[in-house]
Amino acid sequence: MRNLSSKLEKRKINYEQLVKYGFEKEKNKYIYKTKIQDNQFEINVVISEKEKYARLIDLENETDFILVDIEDSNGKFVGELRYQYDQIIEDVIAKCTSVEIFKTNQSKKIINYIKEKYNDELEFL
């Protein structure tokens, strides 16, 4: 299992985009599942307020394939799986999140005020 908290630390998650991307909402979690490598493996990406992680599951054994998360593991097969796994995670982050530049509550209040009053988003030229 790969913890995605550090990758999403300075990003704002767009939950509407998660649903459009293919995530399904289960209770308070958004879960995305896709199969790779001729349906032999499944990637699960789970995003919620408290949890942000991805897993690669070997469908034959129904177990986590942890070699993709171990940096020292080598080989063509593991490399191909790791590449596909990383690509999907990066695609989710690129399409379903945005950079959150302002972190303080005061900044967020100002941004929300502008959005409500003028029905507009910040624009960076």
Side-chain angles (χ1 to χ4, degrees), residues 26 32 44 48 66 76 80 90-92 96-97 111 120 125:
E26 294 180 14
Y32 176 72
N44 293 350
S48 71
I66 61 170
K76 183 178 178 182
E80 288 174 6
E90 293 302 322
D91 193 49
V92 167
C96 300
T97 68
I111 292 167
D120 204 1
L125 303 176

Side-chain angles (χ1 to χ4, degrees), residues 101-111:
I101 296 170
F102 304 105
K103 287 283 195 184
T104 65
N105 285 335
Q106 184 176 8
S107 299
K108 290 178 182 180
K109 286 179 183 178
I110 292 169
I111 292 167

Side-chain angles (χ1 to χ4, degrees), residues 51-97:
E51 298 178 300
K52 296 164 181 65
Y53 65 86
R55 298 172 52 202
L56 180 63
I57 300 169
D58 182 348
L59 293 175
E60 183 177 335
N61 305 331
E62 294 292 324
T63 58
D64 286 347
F65 191 79
I66 61 170
L67 289 176
V68 293
D69 293 319
I70 299 173
E71 291 182 25
D72 292 340
S73 61
N74 296 323
K76 183 178 178 182
F77 182 71
V78 173
E80 288 174 6
L81 285 175
R82 184 181 293 131
Y83 177 77
Q84 291 177 30
Y85 186 49
D86 290 340
Q87 289 297 110
I88 289 174
I89 291 170
E90 293 302 322
D91 193 49
V92 167
I93 291 171
K95 292 181 179 172
C96 300
T97 68

